[in-house]
Amino acid sequence: MAGVGGGNDFQWCFSQVKGAIDEDVAEADIISTVEFNYSGDLLATGDKGGRVVIFQREQESKNRPHSRGEYNVYSTFQSHEPEFDYLKSLEIEEKINKIRWLPQQNAAHFLLSTNDKTIKLWKISERDKRAEGYNLKDEEGRLRGDPFRITSLRVPVLMPMDLMVEASPRRIFANAHTYHINSISVNSDHETYLSADDLRINLWHLEITDRSFNIVDIKPANMEELTEVITAAECHPHQCNVFVYSSSKGTIRLCDMRAAALCDRHTKFFEEPEDPSSRSFFSEIISSISDVKFSHSGRYMMTRDYLSVKVWDLNMENRPVETYQVHEYLRSKLCSLYENDCIFDKFECCWNGSDSAIMTGSYNNFFRMFDRSTRRDITLEASRESSKPRALLKPRKVCTGGKRKKDEISVDSLDFNKKILHTAWHPKENVIAVAATNNLSSLPDVSATLYLLAKPPLKNPPLKKMLGRR
Amino acid sequence: MEVNTEVKRIITLSLGKLYSSRSQRGGMKLHRSLLLSLVMRTARDIYHSARLASESGEWQPATAQSVQEQPATEEQMDTSGAQVETSAPQLTSPLDSQLSEVEKPGHPSYARSTEDEENRSPASPGCQSRKRRGKASAEPDFLPSKKARMETGGESPAIRCVGLRSSNVNSCRVGDTLTSVPVSLAIAAF
């Protein structure tokens, strides 16, 4: 299918906006992770309050041709609760750091969700039938009067009921991480997955909760000699023995689990030599990689550091094949960004289904898309003011200096409290989910809003039917 | 020096962030603490090299070119000002005390070149020539310095620094917390 390009490249419109508008929104509603499942029919979000909300795409029907597969709430559940570590006198946040779906194998859906310390496997299943006509219980489940008065028996019958979606925790993988978990990744063998914290990576079997294999350990013997931490890890999409992990120094290590039980020695080491002329106080912070994602093909991987996105060919270790500047105009503002803590923000990045385009977030609720083939890029804004349904989003531009043109926004007017850290791209179609985060310290606006964007509806309805993927 | 004012500001800011992260919900984040300590180390290196650069003018090495003799008098006048400057703010000397290497007034070029080396790659972990190993092996303030002290006439700033160093060990000023709680301990808290 055509990627971002091909006729109506970079034309996007708001499909839906999900989130509370009123000022009652609490910090707990801030979305901390967004993830489509393998088919794209389900979209999961996790928030700071430990909740998971799953949206399901409606089937497109002839009756409502304009509803191009809307996402509506399918299930909501509390995944993690705040806990207290009594030994260290530390509170364990319930914030969901990552959600990863398992490939669907039966009618139920499974996902892994994790906070800083504990990973949970959740089963989301539908129930649309209910047994009725019990002998001992009445409709509300209360015991019927005197059981001795029953003179005849009947078999309960399954009757249809309103669809109920239940989420139940099937496995809890706990007590394996001393440091804060930053990544989980399901392996292509569909049996194992890895979890990574600042210094260690563990390999789990989905059926076994009481033990895991430690496959990477970069903790130095003397913690005072610590120079780098693990920032993200991911399994290769096709080769179940390969995974990568990124570091705070801007390097990526690819490891092969066949080589050794402990993958401390990498198989490949990806690092771009630093440009000595751009060295500054904050060089180390901005080179820290916040996210790493394999392409769907498995041939490339993408890394996000503070100012740029880089695409690496797995066969070439000494430099990325493509580098995209996300917001280079911030390079001269690093000191202020250090003061207001924004320099520590961890942006994620994602590929589209065909690997022809990549997307990542920025400040002022801007997000950026890059078309890899045409090298064109666009900046769009996720905001309620401009979010009329089916209206085309206007490209935004940041004025870096000199005269500010009309419709441009100057760097100093950017709102650094509004940032897009989490984005997701539908695995097959041009539908994206963008979580706009808004710190409560700013004026009350939307605190946590999920924007769903899609391509504008085509003017020719018959053509649309042909392209519809259901 | 504006550079050093800025550097001091960044160090103070970083320390504030480090301490406030201790009371953060969820505990100290190792990654953030590491990045803060890297900034502080870079700032400390820049501060020290800037300071040495300003002081190196007063110590004319025996091998100095004749070209330098003319500005020598001006530099001596400058260094008298620098001497006052180094003694006044308590922040400056504690920063020196962080160093395990005492300045050798008799060989400023040596000290300077060492500093330049260190400053060229302030964050290279495996560099063996570094005497100061970042967070790790800064000698504690209370130990006597292993380096012999030069007994030349012009060593008063070094002595002043040394004197201030020992006197600051037990004081509780904010400036001292810059070094009396070495950066390494912040990480080792884990």
Side-chain angles (χ1 to χ4, degrees):
Chain A
M1 53 158 273
V4 179
N8 55 345
D9 37 337
F10 290 140
Q11 294 195 325
W12 292 87
C13 61
F14 283 109
S15 169
Q16 292 171 273
V17 179
K18 305 242 171 246
I21 306 180
D22 54 35
E23 294 150 24
D24 243 1
V25 183
E27 188 178 341
D29 295 333
I30 291 180
I31 295 172
S32 50
T33 181
V34 184
E35 186 82 358
F36 280 100
N37 74 337
Y38 283 76
S39 64
D41 284 339
L42 295 176
L43 174 66
T45 62
D47 65 21
K48 263 195 174 181
R51 275 185 311 259
V52 171
V53 179
I54 300 177
F55 300 89
Q56 185 187 46
R57 199 175 199 190
E58 298 297 336
Q59 300 282 342
E60 281 182 33
S61 66
K62 295 188 182 68
N63 301 336
R64 300 170 61 203
H66 289 301
S67 131
R68 292 155 36 87
E70 278 188 358
Y71 284 85
N72 295 315
V73 177
Y74 179 65
S75 173
T76 304
F77 57 93
Q78 186 76 30
S79 171
H80 286 72
E81 299 271 5
E83 287 173 43
F84 197 78
D85 182 341
Y86 295 98
L87 275 178
K88 295 182 192 168
S89 291
L90 285 178
E91 195 175 359
I92 300 170
E93 274 191 289
E94 67 275 28
K95 173 168 83 87
I96 308 292
N97 292 336
K98 282 288 186 313
I99 289 175
R100 288 288 182 263
W101 289 93
L102 265 59
Q104 191 175 8
Q105 288 169 333
N106 51 36
H109 298 277
F110 289 87
L111 61 79
L112 287 168
S113 69
T114 185
N115 68 348
D116 283 338
K117 297 288 182 183
T118 305
I119 306 138
K120 295 188 184 180
L121 175 70
W122 287 89
K123 175 180 178 182
I124 296 104
S125 47
E126 292 182 3
R127 187 197 291 241
D128 60 358
K129 293 189 207 13
R130 177 176 59 189
E132 284 179 15
Y134 282 96
N135 294 288
L136 293 175
K137 295 188 291 187
D138 65 14
E139 295 311 311
E140 275 86 54
R142 290 184 299 235
L143 284 174
R144 285 184 200 277
D146 187 2
F148 294 107
R149 289 201 300 119
I150 296 172
T151 52
S152 63
L153 289 176
R154 56 186 171 164
V155 178
V157 179
L158 286 175
M159 301 293 289
M161 58 178 259
D162 289 339
L163 179 67
M164 197 166 77
V165 182
E166 298 172 323
S168 60
R170 304 303 288 180
R171 306 270 187 276
I172 297 182
F173 305 92
N175 302 322
H177 286 280
T178 310
Y179 303 96
H180 296 108
I181 297 174
N182 53 54
S183 313
I184 48 174
S185 181
V186 182
N187 207 345
S188 55
D189 62 10
H190 303 164
E191 284 185 348
T192 56
Y193 73 95
L194 60 77
S195 60
D197 65 26
D198 291 317
L199 297 179
R200 299 191 177 99
I201 301 180
N202 293 331
L203 183 72
W204 301 84
H205 192 283
L206 285 163
E207 300 290 330
I208 300 169
T209 58
D210 61 354
R211 77 197 83 150
S212 64
F213 287 107
N214 174 247
I215 52 176
V216 173
D217 188 341
I218 63 168
K219 183 176 178 184
N222 181 3
M223 275 298 276
E224 294 179 352
E225 289 164 17
L226 181 73
T227 54
E228 69 181 324
V229 296
I230 297 169
T231 52
E234 202 184 34
C235 291
H236 192 277
H238 309 305
Q239 298 170 30
C240 58
N241 53 295
V242 171
F243 66 95
V244 293
Y245 67 93
S246 60
S247 83
S248 55
K249 273 192 175 168
T251 63
I252 308 103
R253 288 170 176 81
L254 185 145
C255 300
D256 187 332
M257 290 191 265
R258 297 172 302 187
L262 196 57
C263 298
D264 279 358
R265 288 180 57 196
H266 52 264
T267 304
K268 294 196 184 190
F269 182 73
F270 299 84
E271 184 180 32
E272 183 171 30
E274 193 191 356
D275 177 14
S277 63
S278 66
R279 197 145 176 74
S280 78
F281 253 129
F282 308 106
S283 296
E284 280 126 346
I285 301 190
I286 63 170
S287 64
S288 176
I289 292 175
S290 52
D291 193 15
V292 65
K293 291 264 171 47
F294 277 107
S295 64
H296 291 92
S297 63
R299 164 91 189 267
Y300 300 96
M301 66 177 175
M302 165 168 57
T303 57
R304 175 70 156 99
D305 51 69
Y306 191 64
L307 295 179
S308 66
V309 181
K310 296 178 182 173
V311 175
W312 302 77
D313 185 328
L314 293 188
N315 298 317
M316 186 160 76
E317 299 169 52
N318 57 354
R319 58 180 174 80
V321 288
E322 295 153 31
T323 302
Y324 301 94
Q325 300 302 334
V326 181
H327 36 218
E328 181 69 11
Y329 47 79
L330 295 183
R331 193 181 285 274
S332 53
K333 310 274 177 197
L334 293 179
C335 200
S336 336
L337 293 165
Y338 182 73
E339 281 175 44
N340 63 16
D341 270 358
C342 285
I343 206 172
F344 298 103
D345 286 335
K346 297 192 174 142
F347 291 94
E348 292 175 7
C349 51
C350 57
W351 298 84
N352 72 340
S354 58
D355 298 337
S356 64
I358 56 181
M359 170 171 66
T360 188
S362 178
Y363 294 103
N364 209 75
N365 279 346
F366 286 170
F367 58 99
R368 303 262 284 138
M369 280 186 201
F370 303 91
D371 185 319
R372 295 178 62 213
S373 38
T374 64
R375 293 306 182 112
R376 288 182 52 209
D377 63 272
I378 193 171
T379 306
L380 298 172
E381 181 180 356
S383 73
R384 284 189 186 264
E385 293 78 42
S386 52
S387 61
K388 294 184 185 47
R390 286 187 283 280
L392 268 184
L393 265 81
K394 210 174 54 175
R396 305 305 304 257
K397 198 150 162 55
V398 177
C399 160
T400 50
K403 266 189 87 162
R404 187 177 75 89
K405 299 198 190 78
K406 179 177 174 293
D407 282 352
E408 279 186 358
I409 181 166
S410 74
V411 181
D412 298 313
S413 323
L414 292 174
D415 187 346
F416 290 97
N417 285 319
K418 294 184 184 172
K419 55 193 87 172
I420 292 178
L421 303 173
H422 312 287
T423 58
W425 206 314
H426 191 289
K428 298 184 175 68
E429 298 185 26
N430 277 330
V431 172
I432 57 177
V434 167
T437 318
N438 195 4
N439 284 345
L440 293 172
S441 54
S442 74
L443 285 174
D445 190 29
V446 294
S447 173
T449 308
L450 186 70
Y451 293 88
L452 285 151
L453 292 91
K455 289 294 186 171
L458 294 167
K459 296 191 170 68
N460 228 345
L463 202 61
K464 177 187 162 201
K465 256 200 192 144
M466 192 172 79
L467 290 174
R469 289 176 167 269
R470 300 263 22 132
Chain B
M1 290 176 269
E2 305 86 33
V3 168
N4 278 353
T5 317
E6 179 68 11
V7 162
K8 274 185 246 168
R9 191 179 72 84
I10 287 183
I11 291 180
T12 315
L13 186 64
S14 309
L15 266 184
K17 288 184 193 293
L18 201 56
Y19 279 110
S20 66
S21 71
R22 285 184 176 186
S23 52
Q24 210 176 47
R25 204 168 160 251
M28 274 180 95
K29 301 272 195 254
L30 184 63
H31 184 200
R32 185 184 160 94
S33 309
L34 178 69
L35 294 177
L36 287 172
S37 65
L38 288 174
V39 169
M40 283 196 270
R41 183 166 59 171
T42 311
R44 187 194 66 199
D45 292 345
I46 292 176
Y47 173 84
H48 186 72
S49 68
R51 199 166 161 275
L52 264 183
S54 74
E55 283 185 353
S56 63
E58 67 188 88
W59 310 118
Q60 293 303 317
T63 56
Q65 310 273 332
S66 59
V67 175
Q68 291 183 1
E69 273 174 37
Q70 253 215 321
T73 45
E74 292 172 6
E75 286 172 25
Q76 281 178 355
M77 285 163 58
D78 286 340
T79 53
S80 60
Q83 285 183 19
V84 172
E85 195 187 290
T86 53
S87 60
Q90 290 285 326
L91 277 171
T92 60
S93 50
L95 275 171
D96 297 338
S97 71
Q98 179 71 347
L99 308 175
S100 58
E101 173 189 36
V102 172
E103 293 130 288
K104 291 184 178 177
H107 303 281
S109 53
Y110 163 78
R112 201 177 342 136
S113 65
T114 318
E115 289 314 303
D116 282 348
E117 250 178 58
E118 290 164 351
N119 206 38
R120 251 177 246 134
S121 54
S124 63
C127 185
Q128 294 302 315
S129 63
R130 285 201 66 171
K131 301 218 171 188
R132 284 178 286 130
R133 301 225 178 276
K135 300 182 271 295
S137 59
E139 284 181 341
D141 298 342
F142 50 88
L143 288 180
S145 167
K146 293 187 181 127
K147 303 271 190 313
R149 292 183 193 155
M150 303 297 292
E151 291 180 354
T152 60
E155 89 174 47
S156 42
I159 287 181
R160 182 170 291 125
C161 290
V162 168
L164 282 170
R165 181 192 314 164
S166 51
S167 72
N168 280 339
V169 165
N170 294 321
S171 80
C172 304
R173 295 183 54 144
V174 172
D176 297 338
T177 59
L178 278 172
T179 52
S180 54
V181 180
V183 165
S184 56
L185 287 187
I187 303 297
F190 280 92

